[in-house]
Amino acid sequence: AGKSILMGALALLLGAKNDSTTIKDNSRSCVVEGEFDIARLGLEEAFKELDIEYDHETIIRRTISPSGKSRAFVNDQPVQLSDLKQLGAYLIDIHSQHQNLILSSPQFRIHAIDTIAGNGALLAEYRKAFSALQEARHTLTELQQSAKRNADEEDWLRHQAEELRSANLRVGEMEELEAELRTLENADSISEALQKVTLSLDEEVTGVLTTLRESENTLRRVAENYAAATELIERLHSTAVELKDISATTAYDLERIEANPERLDAVNNRLDLIYTLQRKHRCEGIEELIALRDRYAEQLSVIEHSDEAIAEAEQRVAECEEATTSLAVKLHDARLKASPAFAKGVVEILRNVAMADAEFKIAVTPCTPTISGADTVDFLFSANRAVEPRPIEKIASGGELSRVMLALKTILAQHLALPTIIFDEIDTGISGRTANDVGDIIARLAQSMQVIDITHSPQVASKGSRHFLVYKEQSRSNIRPLSAEERIEEIAKMLSGDTITEAALAQAKHLLAL
């Protein structure tokens, strides 16, 4: 009558993914809040690692908006869902009906034995080594594949690199060649222009320089009586010096620039080579050709030294394999050592829940290494001593699975030191005296931790020290604590139905030990 809402709300607080379809009123936000007394749990360091402010009375709040967006807070501090999940693992373990199926999960079985063996630190070290091994193998594979590809392309690479190397390319060369080509192709017109400029400046009778010298001499003759003459003479002289330099330059270039068919052919050939290389290698400039030449040279160097790199990578893989194997052996030994006592503890609990002939064994078998170690762990079970124990997921009935899971959870909870465990109908398929025995197990577990049990069994329910009734009223789910008298009535209803008989009330009082 609404317990799913309670479990869903708790799941949200522990970081579960939001399913917005469960919210009936899409006009308002949904808020779930839980208060946790963690004073005696020693979680200060865990809060520090998650960068969350610690408080003995910690409040976790989850808000889901009408649009489905979710926000989480711990002590009013916003946190990521991943942090909420990590924190929730320290606070509550929820066991629902379908979790009986996780007995068929290899990961759960390995996690269970590692919890009992206290393999946390060793497993973390192994996983680090295994990850390093995976990375080393990946690096080796990439090097080997690259070496194969490069070997197939080596002749082609060597040809391309040699072609570019022999071209002796240099930055800026093409611009220089193109400028020189334009000069060579127009040598006659350039020479003619230079000759005219030179003659106009330096012709003995009518040249500009001759005229300037005469003007300078004329001003000197009147300088004594014309104060501005001195400055004008200096300016004329300065101009003459500049024009002399221009004349010398044009005269020099006139001698240098001439039609040179051989040089013209050489420049054209050089440019043709560069243009051809650009088209061939799809490069836009000589700088890209040089960069390509250097890259080819680097690839050839890698090919030439690939054997050394592969040898180093193989050595790294061997070292990682040795480290991983060594840690895997330690994990295997620890699991083997913990298995008998763990199995014995499960059997002892099973005998207390009407399974006197039950056998439970843990088989730890070496296998190919994975992230969890180099073992497969099987839970072997038999409810009858005459039947050889077989994998539990293949042989156990629903009621048997429930009792085995209760035994496992009881032992695991003690090792994990969880403050709270929630059983959601773990007694499915169990009734009568067996249900009473299951209730006793849960009650003993509650002596060292908070246990919340959702049940339809009066025998199990009667073991609780405090009772809450979950009920529906006008399509709304509600929950309320029960008084002493109401506890008797509700247990009686579980025994006899809606019509409470005197016998049911008497039996309820007996079950509640009142």
Side-chain angles (χ1 to χ4, degrees):
K3 70 178 180 62
S4 296
I5 295 176
L6 178 63
M7 299 303 291
L10 281 168
L12 286 173
L13 286 183
L14 301 178
K17 190 174 180 181
N18 166 43
D19 180 6
S20 57
T21 60
T22 60
I23 301 175
K24 290 184 178 179
D25 188 351
N26 290 326
S27 65
R28 297 187 298 167
S29 293
C30 168
V31 181
V32 183
E33 187 172 280
E35 183 177 347
F36 298 83
D37 178 2
I38 59 173
R40 296 179 299 277
L41 301 184
L43 294 180
E44 290 85 351
E45 192 61 32
F47 273 69
K48 184 177 180 181
E49 289 179 5
L50 294 171
D51 197 23
I52 300 174
E53 184 178 344
Y54 175 83
D55 195 322
H56 292 325
E57 298 288 336
T58 284
I59 294 177
I60 298 177
R61 185 171 75 257
R62 185 91 177 266
T63 302
I64 302 166
S65 69
S67 65
K69 291 184 179 179
S70 170
R71 298 186 68 193
F73 303 84
V74 176
N75 296 328
D76 289 327
Q77 179 181 338
V79 297
Q80 299 291 327
L81 283 188
S82 57
D83 295 336
L84 204 57
K85 285 182 180 179
Q86 193 169 339
L87 184 61
Y90 295 111
L91 302 176
I92 295 179
D93 176 58
I94 298 177
H95 177 86
S96 57
Q97 297 174 57
H98 73 273
Q99 274 199 310
N100 291 336
L101 301 177
I102 67 174
L103 284 170
S104 62
S105 165
Q107 290 76 22
F108 171 77
R109 297 194 294 265
I110 289 176
H111 170 70
I113 191 65
D114 282 336
T115 298
I116 300 303
N119 285 342
L122 179 58
L123 184 59
E125 188 179 358
Y126 168 84
R127 285 176 172 167
K128 184 178 179 181
F130 183 78
S131 296
L133 173 60
Q134 294 295 87
E135 185 178 344
R137 285 174 173 168
H138 178 70
T139 299
L140 175 59
T141 300
E142 282 194 334
L143 284 172
Q144 289 171 333
Q145 292 175 347
S146 177
K148 185 179 183 305
R149 287 193 304 269
N150 289 338
D152 294 340
E153 299 174 357
E154 183 175 3
D155 291 341
W156 181 86
L157 276 172
R158 200 171 295 282
H159 173 74
Q160 305 303 318
E162 179 57 28
E163 181 182 52
L164 290 171
R165 187 197 63 78
S166 62
N168 292 318
L169 303 169
R170 61 181 178 82
V171 176
E173 179 184 8
M174 192 164 66
E175 291 79 3
E176 294 173 8
L177 289 170
E178 288 173 341
E180 184 180 359
L181 178 64
R182 289 192 296 272
T183 300
L184 289 169
E185 288 177 335
N186 297 278
D188 291 340
S189 59
I190 293 171
S191 295
E192 183 179 348
L194 289 174
Q195 187 174 27
K196 286 182 179 180
V197 171
T198 303
L199 288 173
S200 68
L201 291 174
D202 213 20
E203 206 280 324
E204 188 174 348
V205 178
T206 60
V208 174
L209 289 172
T210 300
T211 303
L212 285 175
R213 281 194 296 271
E214 290 176 355
S215 298
E216 191 178 335
N217 291 331
T218 300
L219 285 172
R220 280 196 178 92
R221 286 194 291 272
V222 299
E224 185 177 346
N225 300 311
Y226 178 46
T230 302
E231 182 186 352
L232 292 172
I233 291 169
E234 289 177 356
R235 291 170 66 185
L236 285 170
H237 182 72
S238 177
T239 301
V241 169
E242 179 66 20
L243 291 174
K244 276 185 180 181
D245 186 60
I246 292 173
S247 177
T249 300
T250 56
Y252 173 77
D253 286 347
L254 182 59
E255 292 181 2
R256 186 175 60 84
I257 295 175
E258 60 179 349
N260 187 341
E262 291 182 0
R263 178 58 186 166
L264 181 61
D265 287 344
V267 171
N268 271 319
N269 291 337
R270 181 65 176 170
L271 283 171
D272 284 344
L273 172 63
I274 295 173
Y275 294 149
T276 300
L277 290 173
Q278 284 181 323
R279 287 192 300 271
K280 177 180 178 179
H281 297 286
R282 298 181 181 179
C283 295
E284 293 187 0
I286 204 166
E287 291 83 358
E288 289 188 18
L289 285 172
I290 291 172
L292 184 61
R293 176 198 67 195
D294 295 342
R295 188 160 66 249
Y296 285 155
E298 184 178 345
Q299 286 180 267
L300 285 170
S301 177
V302 169
I303 293 172
E304 291 168 358
H305 296 88
S306 61
D307 289 346
E308 298 173 17
I310 289 173
E312 290 177 3
E314 288 174 338
Q315 177 62 28
R316 172 63 178 159
V317 168
E319 291 171 356
C320 289
E321 284 178 341
E322 184 178 353
T324 302
T325 300
S326 174
L327 291 167
V329 169
K330 290 180 180 179
L331 271 174
H332 177 77
D333 292 344
R335 289 163 177 169
L336 279 179
K337 184 177 179 181
S339 294
F342 187 15
K344 182 180 178 183
V346 172
V347 170
E348 287 176 355
I349 294 175
L350 292 178
R351 287 175 180 168
N352 289 328
V353 288
M355 297 183 73
D357 293 328
E359 287 191 56
F360 183 85
K361 297 180 180 180
I362 300 173
V364 181
T365 309
C367 68
T368 303
T370 67
I371 192 66
S372 299
D375 298 309
T376 56
V377 175
D378 290 299
F379 290 165
L380 308 179
F381 172 79
S382 172
N384 189 333
R385 290 180 183 176
V387 178
E388 188 70 19
R390 294 173 53 197
I392 190 168
E393 66 273 18
K394 296 180 179 179
I395 194 173
S397 66
E400 290 166 347
L401 284 175
S402 294
R403 282 176 276 181
V404 172
M405 276 305 299
L406 174 61
L408 290 171
K409 286 281 186 174
T410 299
I411 296 172
L412 289 172
Q414 294 168 350
H415 282 78
L416 290 171
L418 281 167
T420 299
I421 187 168
I422 298 176
F423 291 120
D424 182 8
E425 298 188 32
I426 196 170
D427 48 28
T428 298
I430 299 171
S431 60
R433 180 175 177 178
T434 302
N436 187 73
D437 294 337
V438 167
D440 286 336
I441 299 283
I442 296 173
R444 284 199 297 272
L445 187 60
Q447 292 173 4
S448 59
M449 63 190 303
Q450 180 185 39
V451 177
I452 298 173
D453 187 76
I454 298 170
T455 181
H456 292 291
S457 167
Q459 293 91 337
V460 175
S462 65
K463 306 298 179 180
S465 59
R466 201 164 176 218
H467 291 87
F468 292 82
L469 177 66
V470 183
Y471 63 100
K472 279 189 176 179
E473 192 174 72
Q474 296 179 349
S475 299
R476 290 178 59 89
S477 292
N478 300 279
I479 183 170
R480 64 181 179 86
L482 298 177
S483 66
E485 285 301 318
E486 288 174 328
R487 290 172 66 196
I488 296 173
E489 290 178 5
E490 291 300 328
I491 295 295
K493 284 182 182 179
M494 297 176 78
L495 288 165
S496 64
D498 290 336
T499 303
I500 303 176
T501 65
E502 288 299 325
L505 286 171
Q507 182 64 19
K509 289 180 181 179
H510 175 72
L511 288 175
L512 290 166
L514 295 175

